[in-house]
Amino acid sequence: MDENNLLRPTTIIIFGATGDLAKRKLFPAFYNLYIDGRMPEQFNIVALGRGDNNDEDFRSYIKENLNIFSRNKLSKEEVWIEFKSHITYLKHQIDQEDSYRNLNEKLKIFDAEIGERANRLFYLSIGPDFIATISEHIKNAGLAGNPVQDRIVIEKPFGHDKNSAIELNNLLSQTFKEEQIYRIDHYLGKETVQNILAFRFGNSIFEPLWNQQYIESVQITVAEEVGVEARGSFYEGTGALKDMIQNHLLQILCMVAMEPPASLESGEIRDRKVDVLKAIRRIPVEKVDHYVVRGQYGKGIVDGKEVIGYRQEKGIAENSDTETYVAIKFYLDNPRWKGVPFYVRTGKRMKEKQSYITIQFKPLPNSTFSGTQHHLSPNKLVINIQPLMDIRLQFMTKKTGLTLALKPVEMIFDYFSCQEDSPEAYETLLQDVLLGDLTLFMRSDQVEEAWDVVKNIQEYWAIHKNPFFPNYEAGSWGPQAGNILLERKSHDWD
């Protein structure tokens, strides 16, 4: 059956519709889904904001931003006219009951026009501090009384530590059942990350090698060239550990390390991810400095231009101890991965923007070329997430010529060569929400286990400040200690 036939009439309610995420990601994603015929035949988008906009003013604002941020530009005016007719702006105050009563009346009007009670998708494109308030008002106004039809989407960060995540999960459970809650992580919507499942479990040449017998190490890197930009006040209270490691990188680690699921059913896949998080060895507080490196960028040169250090950014304290770089060595205590180090790192103001996974295989124990002048580079599987989108298998082969000489080569599967205009991550995730597919979304126990993984690190850093910040130049690959973390096992960052 065509999955689009499963899309029931839906009203999408966006809290924070005038914010940055909505204009850059959400409206472009819904627009692209509409062009591709992947929206419900009957749908409404209710944009909630504090300003005194009318429908036409807000639609003009969306049109302007679609021309900037959408992969499908507004080339056909008739398509835009059709799409904009589905958008309604509603002035809304997050903490006022009257606003939710007004919203309820608007939803009833839409249902009457459609001729049935539509699905309701509440998207919280707002700061995490407002989740509790909105959830409580939705409950009091009776806006989400149907557990089959009503869904809520929540952006990260989901809490700021394990206790706050548990508290937030408990609060949401008073209004929504677990199967209604979509905790979104846009990294899991990226094409190459999703393809890990197909790559691992759809190919007999890789899955038998996916274990401690054949794999030497695993690396996961998410490096950014940019600094904190306009997010200084948010980032100052968050840092790289909470902003990136606890969610993005641990979720990618789960995709790489999970056991084969018995089926593609969402609950089964999410169970296997939780198993990975439980298997990650917790780093004792007294050993945090041995397994974890933190850094903060100072001034430097990026793309040939001088840039300021983190402490000089707007909204940042002059003696800030917030980390902008983290590298961690994890071990998983299970039979598949016993003794295999998983290195994860992320940082701002790095030398290049790169996100990738490297699987390095062990050398042959008794190679024909051992003890000869031939240098054997390790076999590697590299999964590039962004800006490149490809999978590279690195192996040794003979150089062309009359003498026997070896060289490393790559076999590459390039997504862009197959489809230049690939759907963006939010398109994939939002369509899954519309379909009710929870596979790529974090469950409550996943969130709590992920916070538990970094709990000791948080507690240690809260007590022990770093007196050497800033400790890496903008435009570099981070502090030297990040390299030493791998060198202790004779490894290098790829």
Side-chain angles (χ1 to χ4, degrees):
M1 180 185 291
D2 185 348
E3 64 181 14
N4 294 324
N5 293 331
L6 301 175
L7 294 172
R8 295 191 67 258
T10 302
T11 297
I12 301 156
I13 304 100
I14 302 178
F15 291 83
T18 58
D20 198 59
L21 176 66
K23 78 176 183 181
R24 289 174 175 268
K25 298 296 183 182
L26 302 186
F27 280 100
F30 285 125
Y31 178 69
N32 292 330
L33 289 173
Y34 179 74
I35 288 178
D36 292 344
R38 294 184 176 276
M39 288 291 284
E41 186 174 338
Q42 295 175 298
F43 74 94
N44 293 289
I45 300 176
V46 182
L48 304 181
R50 293 176 295 179
D52 292 319
N53 292 308
N54 57 40
D55 287 351
E56 286 307 315
D57 288 341
F58 185 77
R59 290 167 179 172
S60 296
Y61 163 78
I62 294 301
K63 182 179 183 181
E64 177 184 342
N65 286 299
L66 288 179
N67 273 319
I68 300 172
F69 300 113
S70 172
R71 64 182 176 88
N72 289 306
K73 307 305 180 186
L74 297 173
S75 57
K76 296 183 179 179
E77 184 65 20
E78 63 271 19
V79 175
W80 162 247
I81 291 173
E82 293 171 2
F83 180 72
K84 78 173 185 177
S85 69
H86 296 272
I87 301 174
T88 299
Y89 180 83
L90 191 63
K91 185 176 181 180
H92 185 91
Q93 297 295 331
I94 286 176
D95 58 351
Q96 294 183 6
E97 289 186 13
D98 286 345
S99 289
Y100 293 86
R101 283 194 286 266
N102 292 339
L103 175 59
N104 197 17
E105 292 303 314
K106 181 66 72 173
L107 298 182
K108 289 179 180 178
I109 292 172
F110 288 143
D111 289 347
E113 292 172 349
I114 292 172
E116 62 178 290
R117 207 288 200 166
N119 287 359
R120 294 176 181 177
L121 192 167
F122 299 91
Y123 201 111
L124 273 56
S125 178
I126 44 81
D129 293 342
F130 296 106
I131 294 175
T133 300
I134 293 174
S135 176
E136 184 175 357
H137 280 295
I138 287 175
K139 176 184 178 181
N140 294 339
L143 295 173
N146 191 321
V148 176
Q149 291 187 263
D150 302 331
R151 296 153 194 170
I152 185 169
V153 183
I154 300 171
E155 285 279 343
K156 74 169 186 75
F158 195 85
H160 54 84
D161 58 16
K162 184 175 182 180
N163 289 337
S164 63
I166 293 172
E167 182 180 346
L168 189 51
N169 281 331
N170 291 338
L171 185 147
L172 284 170
S173 69
Q174 297 174 21
T175 305
F176 299 93
K177 295 183 181 298
E178 180 60 36
E179 58 268 25
Q180 294 177 267
I181 303 172
Y182 292 72
R183 300 170 185 86
I184 196 166
D185 184 340
H186 71 274
Y187 261 75
L188 294 187
K190 294 184 181 295
E191 193 71 36
T192 40
V193 174
Q194 291 184 76
N195 204 32
I196 294 172
L197 287 179
F199 191 80
R200 277 191 61 189
F201 304 126
N203 294 291
S204 61
I205 62 173
F206 290 112
E207 179 55 23
L209 307 179
W210 215 263
N211 55 61
Q212 51 84 23
Q213 184 176 353
Y214 298 102
I215 291 179
E216 173 81 14
S217 66
V218 178
Q219 294 181 22
I220 302 171
T221 290
V222 177
E224 301 176 278
E225 277 187 331
V226 297
V228 294
E229 298 181 310
R231 300 172 69 228
S233 57
F234 163 79
Y235 200 89
E236 179 72 341
T238 306
L241 183 71
K242 291 190 284 187
D243 189 44
M244 297 295 293
I245 299 288
Q246 183 273 336
N247 39 71
H248 295 331
L249 276 78
L250 284 183
Q251 287 305 302
I252 295 173
L253 190 154
C254 287
M255 297 286 282
V256 173
M258 65 189 286
E259 293 295 320
S263 71
L264 293 177
E265 193 271 328
S266 63
E268 172 68 15
I269 291 175
R270 298 205 291 178
D271 283 346
R272 301 291 75 78
K273 290 181 180 179
V274 172
D275 290 343
V276 173
L277 292 170
K278 289 180 177 179
I280 295 176
R281 186 185 305 166
R282 279 25 176 189
I283 298 172
V285 171
E286 66 274 12
K287 292 188 176 182
V288 166
D289 282 339
H290 182 76
Y291 289 97
V292 186
V293 174
R294 53 178 161 166
Q296 184 189 93
Y297 66 83
K299 64 182 181 179
I301 297 176
V302 177
D303 282 339
K305 298 179 182 178
E306 292 187 5
V307 297
I308 60 176
Y310 177 75
R311 293 180 177 181
Q312 287 74 54
E313 301 275 11
K314 185 178 180 180
I316 306 303
E318 62 181 15
N319 61 345
S320 172
D321 197 58
T322 299
E323 78 286 351
T324 62
Y325 170 99
V326 178
I328 307 176
K329 178 167 66 175
F330 287 122
Y331 285 100
L332 275 61
D333 290 327
N334 60 23
R336 179 183 290 269
W337 298 111
K338 183 179 180 181
V340 178
F342 281 72
Y343 302 106
V344 303
R345 68 170 170 173
T346 185
K348 290 191 173 295
R349 286 293 188 212
M350 303 283 275
K351 188 172 184 178
E352 295 177 11
K353 177 182 179 180
Q354 290 186 1
S355 297
Y356 60 89
I357 304 160
T358 299
I359 312 294
Q360 180 170 319
F361 293 92
K362 290 182 176 180
L364 288 170
N366 296 295
S367 171
T368 302
F369 295 97
S370 298
T372 70
Q373 77 277 16
H374 300 286
H375 172 71
L376 297 178
S377 297
N379 296 144
K380 294 180 181 180
L381 181 67
V382 181
I383 302 171
N384 283 306
I385 301 170
Q386 66 176 20
L388 297 176
M389 290 175 55
D390 59 38
I391 297 175
R392 299 167 180 253
L393 181 61
Q394 301 177 7
F395 54 94
M396 300 300 297
T397 187
K398 177 187 175 295
K399 288 183 180 180
T400 303
L402 299 178
T403 59
L404 180 59
L406 303 182
K407 69 173 183 178
V409 297
E410 290 184 331
M411 189 158 47
I412 303 173
F413 167 58
D414 187 349
Y415 281 85
F416 291 118
S417 66
C418 299
Q419 182 176 346
E420 292 184 6
D421 191 24
S422 177
E424 294 187 356
Y426 271 94
E427 295 172 45
T428 298
L429 296 170
L430 288 173
Q431 187 182 34
D432 282 354
V433 178
L434 292 168
L435 288 166
D437 186 346
L438 287 154
T439 303
L440 296 177
F441 300 87
M442 295 179 71
R443 204 166 57 193
S444 60
D445 52 349
Q446 284 179 268
V447 173
E448 292 168 16
E449 285 295 334
W451 279 118
D452 194 67
V453 170
V454 301
K455 181 174 180 288
N456 288 347
I457 303 172
Q458 286 184 283
E459 292 179 355
Y460 181 82
W461 285 356
I463 299 171
H464 299 85
K465 305 300 181 182
N466 191 311
F468 304 107
F469 279 179
N471 61 352
Y472 71 96
E473 289 185 3
S476 71
W477 281 113
Q480 180 60 27
N483 297 326
I484 296 172
L485 182 69
L486 275 69
E487 290 170 1
R488 291 200 300 261
K489 294 283 289 185
S490 298
H491 297 148
D492 297 297
W493 290 111
D494 197 44

